[in-house]
Amino acid sequence: MSATTVTSAGTAAEDTADEATRPGETNQHYDLDPEIFGLFLDPLRKYSAGLYRTDGITLAQAQVAKLHWVAEELALTEGARLLDVGCGWGSLILFMAREYAARVTGISPAGRQHEFIAARAAEFNVTDRVTTAVGRFEDVDLPARSFDAVTMLGSIVHMPDVDLAVRRARSMLRRGGRYYVSETCFRNGAARDEFDQRAGTEFVRNSIFGWGDMRPLSELVRAVEDAGFSVDDVEDLTEDYRRTIEDWLVRVADSAAAIDELRPGMAAELTRYLEVANAGWGFTTKHYALVCRNGR
């Protein structure tokens, strides 16, 4: 038995083929062999910032700490219904299903990720709590007001219409439900104007992600407020993400031969991407988490 997987906006194969040609979609990066990610990410394959608030903490410990922190920010309880938009390799939904007995739904356009999540859900004996949907958040058919929490960890950057994405997230939430969104942002509008078209930014956007817009924090706050959310908390995770990427770079270097055996040249591509990302922290970019509440 596997976790329930549904398709939307075409089959998984169709979505994967289209990703590189549609603005606002990730490209083939997320449909690479999952073993590549296993060689440089933590055991959960969490592909976003950890939480480094304890001296000597490891990458794996930082990622677990971050997931517990997100659960606390969402006030997650047993049986809570959680929607994770851009669920990646399932780190968040599988963790919340295992540790908090939440009923979780993950959305991603990358077909390989759903196969991986289904296998891990069976391994962890949480198939009855885990559902995934293949497709874009804008297109997946979900019942309104059916979730207690919605999360977007590093996924709203790939959505061209931020206002639509945030309004749709709110439409999924019951009254009092919580919305967590964390994202890398240009530190202000001037930095965006100056650095958005630089070579390093274009490399990450086109060679890694296919498309992305690192909006300043002010745009995200405006979007959530205009959608009707109340902002409960804004957390600066810039230093945590810098530490996360440093740990990823070490793991890429240690596993370079194995990574290149799976995909020649991938270790160098990952190294360039991660070095570009780390070069901008505090100068051109920041990383923030917003916790919002659907108060009405």
Side-chain angles (χ1 to χ4, degrees):
M1 181 178 180
S2 63
T4 303
T5 303
V6 297
T7 59
S8 177
T11 65
E14 289 167 344
D15 283 333
T16 299
D18 283 349
E19 285 171 17
T21 61
R22 292 176 179 168
E25 288 269 10
T26 53
N27 67 0
Q28 67 275 9
H29 183 69
Y30 292 116
D31 243 334
L32 294 170
D33 189 329
E35 293 308 309
I36 291 176
F37 297 90
L39 288 168
F40 75 94
L41 301 180
D42 67 295
L44 298 175
R45 285 175 171 80
K46 184 172 173 295
Y47 206 5
S48 58
L51 198 67
Y52 288 80
R53 305 297 167 88
T54 303
D55 290 341
I57 196 170
T58 67
L59 173 65
Q61 291 168 334
Q63 295 294 19
V64 168
K66 173 69 172 300
L67 290 169
H68 279 303
W69 180 73
V70 171
E72 291 169 6
E73 293 292 312
L74 296 174
L76 207 63
T77 58
E78 182 176 347
R81 298 159 298 175
L82 183 147
L83 173 66
D84 186 30
V85 180
C87 61
W89 302 102
S91 58
L92 186 143
I93 59 174
L94 293 168
F95 186 86
M96 300 310 180
R98 293 176 70 193
E99 300 294 327
Y100 292 87
R103 291 175 289 166
V104 299
T105 300
I107 298 174
S108 169
R112 262 190 169 176
Q113 293 184 334
H114 298 268
E115 299 166 5
F116 181 83
I117 291 168
R120 293 298 290 269
E123 178 185 342
F124 298 147
N125 197 30
V126 292
T127 57
D128 58 328
R129 300 183 208 137
V130 177
T131 300
T132 64
V134 183
R136 300 178 302 279
F137 179 49
E138 298 90 337
D139 300 330
V140 173
D141 185 17
L142 295 166
R145 302 280 182 169
S146 58
F147 293 94
D148 301 297
V150 175
T151 52
M152 294 181 181
L153 278 70
S155 59
I156 205 167
V157 70
H158 303 304
M159 300 178 192
D161 191 334
V162 65
D163 297 296
L164 173 62
V166 175
R167 287 197 307 270
R168 185 138 208 264
R170 182 169 176 263
S171 75
M172 299 290 102
L173 283 168
R174 63 165 177 81
R175 183 173 182 175
R178 291 179 175 268
Y179 173 49
Y180 174 99
V181 55
S182 54
E183 197 53 78
T184 297
C185 306
F186 280 116
R187 64 175 299 156
N188 52 40
R192 182 193 203 176
D193 291 342
E194 182 176 356
F195 292 96
D196 190 49
Q197 303 301 318
R198 293 286 183 95
T201 307
E202 290 291 344
F203 165 72
V204 173
R205 176 184 292 128
N206 297 324
S207 298
I208 303 296
F209 294 130
W211 190 91
D213 188 358
M214 295 187 294
R215 305 167 179 94
L217 173 65
S218 56
E219 288 195 20
L220 295 182
V221 172
R222 177 200 53 76
V224 297
E225 290 184 332
D226 285 353
F229 281 111
S230 296
V231 179
D232 284 352
D233 188 27
V234 178
E235 184 80 13
D236 185 349
L237 299 174
T238 305
E239 178 62 16
D240 297 283
Y241 215 160
R242 183 191 66 78
R243 290 277 305 277
T244 304
I245 292 178
E246 284 184 352
D247 280 346
W248 287 346
L249 279 165
V250 170
R251 288 178 60 82
V252 169
D254 290 345
S255 303
I259 291 171
D260 285 343
E261 186 174 343
L262 292 168
R263 186 179 178 89
M266 190 67 204
E269 185 172 287
L270 283 170
T271 299
R272 183 183 176 193
Y273 153 51
L274 295 172
E275 287 178 344
V276 167
N278 250 9
W281 295 130
F283 175 55
T284 59
T285 54
K286 300 278 286 180
H287 191 83
Y288 294 104
L290 282 75
V291 183
C292 311
R293 178 172 36 86
N294 182 26
R296 54 186 174 84

